[in-house]
Amino acid sequence: MSNPMCALGSEACGTVPARLMVTVAITPAGPLYACPRCVRMYELVPVEEQPPGMADLIRRETGGNG
């Protein structure tokens, strides 16, 4: 089994050990992984923190201007 690669970043993100990769969505093709750097940078919600039954690629609400 190969190590998961960060789906959102550069090849440098792929050097992150598999144990640190975060599942950010589940697609018909399988899990979508992101490195911790991209999870922070894009403000993504890991699948384990999403409401039951959800496994979508979603961003954290960061407030807004209205």
Side-chain angles (χ1 to χ4, degrees):
M1 183 175 165
S2 63
N3 287 338
M5 297 285 294
C6 180
L8 305 170
S10 67
E11 287 184 22
C13 296
T15 62
V16 175
R19 64 184 169 76
L20 297 179
M21 297 297 275
V22 179
T23 304
V24 293
I26 305 295
T27 69
L32 183 67
Y33 299 101
C35 70
R37 176 185 162 269
C38 286
V39 170
R40 282 189 309 273
M41 185 167 62
Y42 296 111
E43 300 173 339
L44 300 174
V45 178
V47 168
E48 66 185 26
E49 294 179 21
Q50 294 183 22
M54 285 191 71
D56 298 327
L57 184 62
I58 56 176
R59 295 181 70 182
R60 295 192 185 279
E61 292 185 18
T62 58
N65 57 0

